[in-house]
Amino acid sequence: MQIARETLLRSYRAMRTIRMFEERLHVEFATGGIPGFVHLYCGEEASGVGVCANLTDSDTIASTHRGHGHCIAKGVGVAGMMAEIYGRSTGVCRGKGGSMHIADLTRGMLGANGIVGGGPPLICGAALSHKTLRNGAVAVAFYGDGASNEGSTLESLNLASVWKLPAVFVVEDNGYGEATGASYACAGTQKARAAAFGMPYAECDGSDYFAVHQAAAEVIAHARGGNGPAMLHVHLERWYGHFEGDAMTYRAAGEVAEARRDRDCLTLFRDRVTQAAVLEASALDGIDAAVADEIESAVLQARADPLPQPSDLLADVYVRY
């Protein structure tokens, strides 16, 4: 498929930003300066970016506990995210949400979610809003193989089909629900689950940005066209543990090293576009350098920014319409 040069550059920057953001958090968390839990998205970048490259500012997404990548892919600012993870008052949620609850409604990001299977019901509401307002927008839920077994997810698949909502359900299947293998815990197939609710299904390799982009384009076009919901099943691998501090003793020896060596979505993307002379290596190098500076600046600023004060405790608790 033909993808515009600007889209490719923007997508590469988003994937590189996610990678550097997450790798820096891996280091920063070890120092003890970041409160709460952190779940990293390294290795899965092409999924969030490949999907969101097909979305507009009017479209909405809901994420998981592993939400940094989805936030960046949807355009949430890195500085505000870093401040939020550090618990600073300058964060996108004023330091009250932290890593697992980053949200930015101005970007159509309904939020990361510490509840497994918490995102699918949210996008049913967003999709109903889009349908009612006839604004042509779609709502997308990212969730994992573990969350695919949750009642909230299955009920959302049913509701979206019954109401014929412009919704897309993206199963990011990294093979593990925490430490439990998907082959052990997930009966049947995701394809059969989609069929059971009468929705079309697409499947792709999550290490291949182009495969994700193409498959996502198809299911999003289906939903945007008023044809009801669709499911996208993305096969991918996370490079770090379920959470920072997870020793991953449940994974086979060499499993992660093999994924890093053979299925790095950034390396595969870079090789493909440079070999095809679509993008120049120098342009990609320039993006790498700019992103590194952006991440460094975000960390330094977050460390220096103020913490929320006791007087902020009741701010933003209620919304009055």
Side-chain angles (χ1 to χ4, degrees):
M1 64 180 299
Q2 294 296 317
I3 303 176
R5 173 184 170 86
E6 288 307 311
T7 300
L8 292 175
L9 287 170
R10 187 166 58 249
S11 293
Y12 179 80
R13 183 181 182 109
M15 290 193 290
R16 180 59 70 189
T17 301
I18 295 169
R19 175 69 55 82
M20 289 187 173
F21 188 93
E22 300 290 67
E23 289 183 335
R24 185 59 180 268
L25 282 184
H26 179 65
V27 174
E28 294 296 317
F29 185 81
T31 69
I34 294 176
F37 279 100
V38 172
H39 305 76
L40 302 181
Y41 196 68
C42 282
E44 305 184 8
E45 295 88 351
S47 176
V49 174
V51 171
C52 290
N54 290 282
L55 300 179
T56 70
D57 291 341
S58 299
D59 297 325
T60 48
I61 69 170
S63 182
T64 68
H65 54 279
R66 199 177 310 283
H68 308 154
H70 303 140
C71 289
I72 292 170
K74 195 62 171 69
V76 182
V78 165
M81 287 177 58
M82 192 66 76
E84 184 63 32
I85 292 169
Y86 266 86
R88 307 299 175 170
S89 61
T90 53
V92 290
C93 298
R94 303 195 185 187
K96 295 184 176 183
S99 169
M100 283 194 286
H101 303 95
I102 296 174
D104 188 347
L105 301 186
T106 66
R107 296 292 183 176
M109 172 55 176
L110 299 179
N113 204 314
I115 299 174
V116 177
L122 293 180
I123 68 113
C124 284
L128 178 61
S129 176
H130 296 323
K131 181 176 181 177
T132 302
L133 296 175
R134 299 181 182 179
N135 60 11
V138 301
V140 178
F142 292 94
Y143 60 97
D145 42 282
S148 71
N149 295 329
E150 291 289 331
S152 57
T153 298
L154 298 170
E155 291 169 3
S156 297
L157 295 173
N158 182 70
L159 185 65
S161 290
V162 169
W163 286 355
K164 205 173 181 180
L165 297 177
V168 176
F169 298 90
V170 180
V171 188
E172 291 189 315
D173 185 351
N174 62 29
Y176 297 96
E178 294 196 15
T180 304
S183 59
Y184 175 86
C186 296
T189 65
Q190 299 295 338
K191 182 177 182 179
R193 296 183 185 195
F197 292 104
M199 65 179 67
Y201 168 92
E203 192 171 5
C204 63
D205 175 2
S207 68
D208 184 344
Y209 163 85
F210 297 93
V212 177
H213 189 286
Q214 175 65 39
E218 294 170 2
V219 294
I220 290 170
H222 172 88
R224 202 184 298 282
N227 303 303
M231 180 185 291
L232 174 60
H233 185 188
V234 185
H235 296 275
L236 36 69
E237 294 164 285
R238 56 173 163 84
W239 289 4
Y240 292 105
H242 170 66
F243 57 88
E244 283 297 89
D246 175 7
M248 295 194 288
T249 54
Y250 49 88
R251 301 187 76 166
E255 182 180 329
V256 175
E258 180 187 356
R260 286 175 177 266
R261 183 187 67 239
D262 299 335
R263 295 183 293 279
D264 181 346
C265 58
L266 277 159
T267 300
L268 295 174
F269 179 98
R270 188 182 182 107
D271 288 347
R272 185 164 176 179
V273 297
T274 54
Q275 289 171 10
V278 177
L279 296 177
E280 308 79 23
S282 59
L284 302 180
D285 291 341
I287 289 174
D288 292 348
V291 170
D293 289 343
E294 182 181 18
I295 299 300
E296 178 67 18
S297 176
V299 170
L300 295 177
Q301 187 63 53
R303 289 174 180 169
D305 283 346
L307 292 166
Q309 298 301 305
S311 59
D312 300 323
L313 182 62
L314 298 181
D316 305 314
V317 176
Y318 297 103
V319 175
R320 292 181 174 84
Y321 295 99

